[in-house]
Amino acid sequence: MDYQAVIEEVAAFARPFTGQGQVADYIPALERVAADRFGIAVADINGDVYGVGDWETPFSVQSISKTFSLALVMAGSQDGDDIWKRVGREPSGTPFNSLVQLEWEAGIPRNPFINAGALVVTDRLQTLTGDASTTLLHFLREESGNQDLAFDQAVAGSEADHGSRNAALAHFMASFGNLENPVPSVIEHYFWQCSIEMSCRDLATAGGFLARHGLRADGTRLLGAREAKRINAVMLTCGTYDAAGEFAYRVGLPAKSGVGGGIIAVVPGRCTLCVWSPGLDTRGNSVAGAAALDHFTTLTGWSVF
């Protein structure tokens, strides 16, 4: 497979979609990013990386961080299934910051990739490590090979200043006994995790363990093949907010998006991709990013179906 030629064709296809949609203006620090930026990177299972466009430009990972937090929780638990007693695995069908289902379902979030579910995962990682956000940052530095990865203090502060809905979600779950740590601590670590800045290169490389069935970049095992398969499955069904069905129909790959405009996608046994373009559709997914991944699977014929 000539990855470079493929992603150059993908980038050419996706360019007309850049600038469409709206940047995440409810987080003021993200509102200032130009909507017409575009980058794509692909990392094969051997660690070779190819890229086009703004593929080495750092951006705010936002909800993409939830995939890595979940992997660390599953890897750090004696029983990798422990977390599923506190969070479900079903698509939500409601916006990522919705409170509605929590009351119906006694404080158990529908899946780990909506905000409520990610707060539970962060809470568990905090219990396991004592410092959820720093643990995640160190892991991402190791897997990406980029020791310069850092939190964006402006983004974290912006989210904290406009984080009333997330605080409400956390307090509501705490009222049902579904948080182990104080709400302010959980929220703080959650905001710091979302504020990490990474490039398409960084994210494609860091996500390689999901394409390698749980093996880290250094060849050691983070997850068993069973656990890696399950994370990929939840990414497929829940990773693109309440548009996961449409995304699976168009793209056919496990993926996790973030409102910073990034999407990471996995071709198990072959490669990991990351695409970035800040213009979002009404569900919070990158317009050009989704178009690019759709074209990638069309060109290659690679999907999980």
Side-chain angles (χ1 to χ4, degrees):
M1 168 65 69
D2 186 343
Y3 284 111
Q4 189 66 40
V6 169
I7 60 172
E8 286 176 3
E9 184 171 343
V10 166
F13 174 85
R15 284 289 180 188
F17 295 91
T18 61
Q20 295 185 24
Q22 299 293 323
V23 297
D25 57 2
Y26 61 93
I27 302 174
L30 300 183
E31 187 179 13
R32 296 187 287 272
V33 180
D36 61 353
R37 303 295 294 273
F38 178 85
I40 184 170
V42 57
D44 68 19
I45 57 173
N46 299 314
D48 295 322
V49 191
Y50 310 85
V52 175
D54 300 313
W55 68 297
E56 295 184 294
T57 300
F59 60 90
S60 184
V61 301
Q62 292 296 310
S63 288
I64 298 175
S65 65
K66 298 171 182 177
T67 299
F68 298 99
S69 296
L70 177 62
L72 289 173
V73 165
M74 293 180 70
S77 302
Q78 290 185 346
D79 179 355
D81 286 340
D82 279 352
I83 190 63
W84 304 119
K85 298 172 184 175
R86 299 175 54 194
V87 61
R89 298 187 293 268
E90 297 295 332
S92 65
T94 58
F96 58 84
N97 60 356
S98 174
L99 282 154
V100 174
Q101 288 174 332
L102 282 178
E103 185 161 14
W104 295 345
E105 297 171 2
I108 304 295
R110 188 62 68 89
N111 68 68
F113 295 146
I114 55 175
N115 289 15
L119 286 164
V120 171
V121 172
T122 298
D123 174 65
R124 183 60 184 153
L125 187 59
Q126 180 70 6
T127 297
L128 289 170
T129 67
D131 190 340
S133 54
T134 302
T135 297
L136 176 62
L137 179 62
H138 286 168
F139 174 76
L140 292 171
R141 285 175 174 172
E142 290 172 2
E143 292 306 293
S144 68
N146 183 356
Q147 294 301 312
D148 293 328
L149 296 184
F151 303 114
D152 185 323
Q153 295 188 13
V155 170
S158 183
E159 294 203 52
D161 291 342
H162 298 82
S164 296
R165 176 64 67 95
N166 286 313
L169 290 167
H171 281 291
F172 198 73
M173 290 186 294
S175 74
F176 283 97
N178 199 18
L179 289 184
E180 300 169 331
N181 296 280
V183 166
S185 174
V186 174
I187 296 172
E188 179 182 11
H189 282 277
Y190 173 74
F191 289 152
W192 282 115
Q193 288 174 343
C194 290
S195 79
I196 294 171
E197 281 200 322
M198 299 176 71
S199 67
C200 292
R201 172 196 278 276
D202 296 329
L203 279 164
T205 306
F209 68 93
L210 291 170
R212 292 188 294 266
H213 309 295
L215 289 179
R216 297 185 62 168
D218 64 3
T220 62
R221 185 163 290 282
L222 175 70
L223 299 166
R226 173 176 175 266
E227 287 74 30
K229 176 192 73 175
R230 292 185 169 186
I231 292 177
N232 281 329
V234 179
M235 289 172 70
L236 179 72
T237 59
C238 307
T240 47
Y241 308 123
D242 55 328
E246 174 67 16
F247 193 89
Y249 176 82
R250 289 181 62 189
V251 176
L253 292 176
K256 183 69 196 85
S257 60
V259 296
I263 307 175
I264 186 172
V266 181
V267 185
R270 295 185 183 271
C271 63
T272 308
L273 302 100
C274 181
V275 61
W276 172 57
S277 187
L280 309 177
D281 63 21
T282 57
R283 268 89 170 265
N285 299 309
S286 170
V287 176
L293 292 170
D294 182 0
H295 197 57
F296 177 85
T297 54
T298 299
L299 286 176
T300 61
W302 292 351
S303 84
V304 297
F305 301 111

